[in-house]
Amino acid sequence: GLLPPQGHIVRNWKVRWFVLLQDKLLYYKIEGGKKEPSPKGRILLDGCTITCPCLEYENRPLLIKLKTKTNTDYFLECCSREERDSWALDITGAIHAGHPVQVQELHRMKNSFKLLDNISLHDIVERMYDSSTGIKRTRNLEQGNRYKETFTGSALVDWLISNSFAVSRFEAVTLASMLMDENFIRPVGTRSTEATRSSNLSEKFLDDSTALYMFAENGKKNVSPKEELQFNISELSGKIVKQGFLVKQGHKRKNWKVRRFVLRADPAFLHYYDPTKEENKPVGGFSLRGCLVSALEDNGVPAGVKGNVQGNLFKIITKNDTHYYIQASSKAERTQWIEAIKPLT
């Protein structure tokens, strides 16, 4: 699949096509929307250690860190928490492929719960408040409302695991629910508040990037006009339905570039981001109301499409008759995107 790794010489982020084998990760350069035939590099997994979640970059919470036995660090960025955890589990399985007992233990721990001995919720909260190593609090949106000093459910789960308070996401969710029950943190907004009505402790807290929480003593604070966000709030306030890396043709130069697409509902918008940029702001997007979406046949290049085309094309025509040509990595992925977009048009 497509992942942006960090370069070793120039510390920028460029999207590469990664292939996981039993003992190595190969990565290929994408040129003109097409994967080059020979790998640009490889990461040998023998003796590797993996860190996930990796919180070394504040603005990149979806990183996986691989350290080879020669002490070379690789940082790989995924598109979603689910994709990151799936890659991490598969890579970890490949690292320990020669040790089936360890692989079984990893899968068992994924859904296990065993609270650490002598754990103190007060100590956890004190660590959370730390200005340098604590949980990062930012402005967030929820159904059009703006909140300051909040953190998402998935961010807290990542933080608990990376600080060794929990060894699995299931365990971290249960621990976060305990913090909420003891009134150290509280839900903010509709999604996280509704979840608290669940009778099951592990379901009261949402391991979700759209569920918001804050420290219990903090109240709702509206953002002042000087802190107004630089993009249309209503467009970005919808529920995320699907996200992933796709290759998009530009409107002017007709070149192909990898973009991270985010599909939202209520309101229905499709935004795309440049994964090589540090700031998490869309570089484009459009309303899906009145759009037409369809798959394009792979035999021959349709009119309006330029350059090298790998295949698995689909087209979106907006209500204003703007044509977007997009490539998925497989026919199955193309079908999934089309099926997700159609109900929102």
Side-chain angles (χ1 to χ4, degrees), residues 8 13 45 61 70 123 129 146 157 172 196 203 231 244 252 262 280-281 293 322 332 339:
H8 283 109
W13 301 82
L45 297 178
T70 58
D123 290 343
Y129 269 108
R146 286 166 288 170
V157 169
T196 60
E203 294 177 358
F231 44 82
K252 294 180 180 178
V262 178
N280 189 31
K281 291 182 180 179
V293 57
T322 302
E339 289 179 351

Side-chain angles (χ1 to χ4, degrees), residues 182-278:
E182 294 298 322
N183 202 36
F184 288 110
I185 63 174
R186 70 178 183 85
V188 178
T190 306
R191 288 211 66 220
S192 52
T193 302
E194 287 179 350
T196 60
R197 301 191 181 102
S198 172
S199 58
N200 189 332
L201 179 66
S202 63
E203 294 177 358
K204 289 186 176 182
F205 183 89
L206 297 178
D207 180 7
D208 194 293
S209 59
T210 62
L212 301 181
Y213 298 88
M214 62 169 48
F215 289 114
E217 70 272 18
N218 290 345
K220 176 182 174 181
K221 298 179 182 179
N222 287 324
V223 180
S224 68
K226 290 183 180 180
E227 296 172 314
E228 189 70 39
L229 298 178
Q230 299 298 310
F231 44 82
N232 191 321
I233 293 173
S234 63
E235 288 186 22
L236 302 174
S237 63
K239 179 183 176 182
I240 294 178
V241 176
K242 185 175 177 61
Q243 56 183 321
F245 291 109
L246 297 167
V247 185
K248 173 188 166 294
Q249 182 179 257
H251 288 294
K252 294 180 180 178
R253 295 185 180 180
K254 303 297 182 183
N255 55 349
W256 293 90
K257 290 187 177 180
V258 176
R259 294 289 181 251
R260 178 171 67 88
F261 280 79
V262 178
L263 176 63
R264 293 180 172 91
D266 300 324
F269 273 83
L270 184 63
H271 292 96
Y272 48 94
Y273 301 72
D274 185 344
T276 66
K277 304 295 184 184
E278 289 288 345

Side-chain angles (χ1 to χ4, degrees), residues 131-177:
S131 59
S132 58
T133 61
I135 185 77
K136 303 300 180 185
R137 288 158 279 168
T138 59
R139 292 178 295 185
N140 280 294
L141 301 174
E142 207 261 9
Q143 294 189 347
N145 294 318
R146 286 166 288 170
Y147 302 95
K148 292 174 67 177
E149 298 292 311
T150 59
F151 45 87
T152 66
S154 57
L156 179 54
V157 169
D158 285 350
W159 185 87
L160 289 169
I161 295 173
S162 67
N163 284 273
S164 302
F165 290 115
V167 296
S168 68
R169 302 197 77 83
F170 180 81
E171 185 173 315
V173 166
T174 307
L175 190 54
S177 297

